Amino acid sequence: MLQSLHVKNLALIEEEEILFSKGLNILTGETGAGKSIVLGALSLALGGRFEKDMLRDESGDALVEAVFRVTDQMTKDVLEKRGVELYDDEVILTRKIAGGRAQAKVNGESVPAPKLAELKDVLIDIYGQREHQSLLKKAKHIELLDFYAKEPLSSKKEELAEAYLTYAALEKEYAGVEMSDAEREKELMFLRHEAEEIETAALKEGEDEAVEEEYRRLSNSSRIMEALSICYGATGGEGGASEQIGRALRELSPVGEYDDRISQMEAVLSDVDGLLSDFNRDVSGYMADAEYDGERFAEIEKRLDTINTLKDKYGSTIAA
């Protein structure tokens, strides 16, 4: 609340200090008594524009000082956010006009005049002809509502916020799916095409792995045959491992009856010879059966391309 207003050398007022008490304060007087000057002085203290003809004595300095007492925490919080530190719950706004220039202070600290105007909405409302009324400012309505109904409406406010977020999400979703008949038909045609493309491919679970394996085998068939050929030559061909093992067995066989350890060596070597013979038959059989089929390779390559294209477009797996 406004506690006091000190006015010096302003219009009709030489110097006056007006004290205000809690409750209703009334200034009365006939026309021209200076009631409007008091309001003008208060407006000047709150950052209003200074005009040189406001001075009572142009050779002297003018001073307007308004003292406000702030007790409610909400106003204190707002003032703190605006960089105003209270002293004994008081805010002192000072406007001094000296040498044709106006100086502004808040609690003794010099500030630009617009700073005073920022505090006007927080500290006081002036209702009058052509005067500012914060009640008419939409931006002020939420602040006023929160101040007078914060506790009773807190739960309702949370419910409203949650309901609004839900509404906004649904509205966004609705806007995303809303389309004209032509757009809807176009979308349906596109979806039918996609479904038909997937159905025509007739994919089977695990098919991609089997096709990839066969593709790798066919595309590397020449390397496989070359490796098997060298392997067979080293193990089963003339002078290969099989021939050398057979020779070793022939040498050990006559002397095995003289030493059990040599008999064991002969048995191990005989097992190796048997395994190597099985291995050579497998290699020989694989090479005899293997035949590069260019037509089959082209078929597998095309199928793999179809599978990978569909996976890129519709899902990372066949199941998807």
Side-chain angles (χ1 to χ4, degrees):
M1 62 166 281
L2 178 62
Q3 284 197 139
S4 65
L5 181 66
H6 184 196
V7 185
K8 179 181 178 183
N9 191 29
L10 194 68
L12 300 176
I13 301 175
E14 183 175 350
E15 185 168 6
E16 190 67 53
E17 179 145 3
I18 306 170
L19 302 178
F20 299 90
S21 60
K22 188 175 181 180
L24 179 64
N25 293 263
I26 300 177
L27 299 178
T28 64
E30 60 187 31
T31 302
K35 301 186 296 296
S36 297
I37 296 174
V38 174
L39 289 177
L42 181 58
S43 178
L44 193 62
L46 292 164
R49 185 174 178 179
F50 165 71
E51 299 290 347
K52 191 173 181 180
D53 58 7
M54 292 180 175
L55 295 175
R56 173 186 173 89
D57 180 2
E58 294 185 6
S59 62
D61 299 337
L63 176 69
V64 178
E65 188 173 78
V67 180
F68 292 88
R69 184 166 186 80
V70 181
T71 55
D72 68 279
Q73 190 57 46
M74 180 180 174
T75 305
K76 288 181 180 181
D77 292 342
V78 175
L79 289 171
E80 184 178 350
K81 288 180 181 178
R82 299 191 182 186
V84 177
E85 185 177 353
L86 276 70
Y87 297 99
D88 294 330
D89 291 338
E90 287 187 348
V91 179
I92 303 174
L93 306 183
T94 306
R95 197 82 181 278
K96 183 177 181 180
I97 294 90
R101 299 183 61 185
Q103 300 173 342
K105 291 184 179 182
V106 177
N107 287 345
E109 182 180 347
S110 295
V111 297
K115 180 74 173 181
L116 298 178
E118 289 180 12
L119 303 179
K120 184 175 183 181
D121 295 344
V122 182
L123 296 172
I124 196 170
D125 252 337
I126 299 176
Y127 298 87
Q129 291 181 331
R130 295 177 300 280
E131 290 288 347
H132 164 76
Q133 297 182 26
S134 65
L135 190 60
L136 300 180
K137 292 179 66 176
K138 291 184 178 180
K140 191 78 173 177
H141 292 174
I142 293 295
E143 183 181 325
L144 293 172
L145 182 62
D146 284 346
F147 178 73
Y148 288 104
K150 186 174 184 179
E151 294 302 325
L153 292 180
S154 59
S155 61
K156 296 295 182 183
K157 186 177 178 181
E158 291 176 4
E159 290 178 18
L160 178 61
E162 186 177 348
Y164 177 76
L165 290 175
T166 303
Y167 163 76
L170 290 172
E171 187 179 46
K172 184 178 180 180
E173 183 180 352
Y174 177 75
V177 299
E178 188 179 16
M179 59 179 70
S180 66
D181 291 341
E183 290 174 325
R184 186 177 295 105
E185 184 60 32
K186 183 179 179 181
E187 180 69 15
L188 285 171
M189 288 178 63
F190 181 70
L191 292 173
R192 289 192 194 101
H193 168 74
E194 291 185 331
E196 183 179 350
E197 186 178 22
I198 295 172
E199 290 170 1
T200 302
L203 304 178
K204 297 181 180 64
E205 191 76 35
E207 182 186 4
D208 50 345
E209 296 176 2
V211 171
E212 285 175 5
E213 183 180 352
E214 186 172 0
Y215 175 79
R216 285 195 300 272
R217 181 175 59 80
L218 289 174
S219 60
N220 292 283
S221 59
S222 61
R223 293 181 60 191
I224 293 172
M225 294 301 292
E226 181 182 358
L228 289 175
S229 178
I230 293 172
C231 180
Y232 184 78
T235 58
E238 184 178 350
S242 292
E243 184 178 326
Q244 297 299 323
I245 291 174
R247 180 180 176 185
L249 283 171
R250 287 193 297 274
E251 294 296 330
L252 288 175
S253 183
V255 298
E257 59 181 303
Y258 305 125
D259 192 320
D260 289 342
R261 290 181 63 188
I262 293 177
S263 294
Q264 292 174 359
M265 293 178 192
E266 182 184 1
V268 171
L269 200 56
S270 180
D271 289 340
V272 171
D273 186 45
L275 291 171
L276 192 56
S277 295
D278 291 341
F279 172 76
N280 284 330
R281 278 195 297 272
D282 287 342
V283 172
S284 178
Y286 187 98
M287 293 173 67
D289 294 339
E291 181 181 349
Y292 178 76
D293 187 344
E295 186 176 340
R296 176 61 179 169
F297 178 72
E299 181 183 328
I300 286 293
E301 188 175 36
K302 182 179 179 181
R303 183 61 173 172
L304 184 60
D305 181 62
T306 298
I307 293 172
N308 288 334
T309 299
L310 293 176
K311 286 167 71 174
D312 287 341
K313 292 171 69 175
Y314 306 119
S316 59
T317 65
I318 287 182

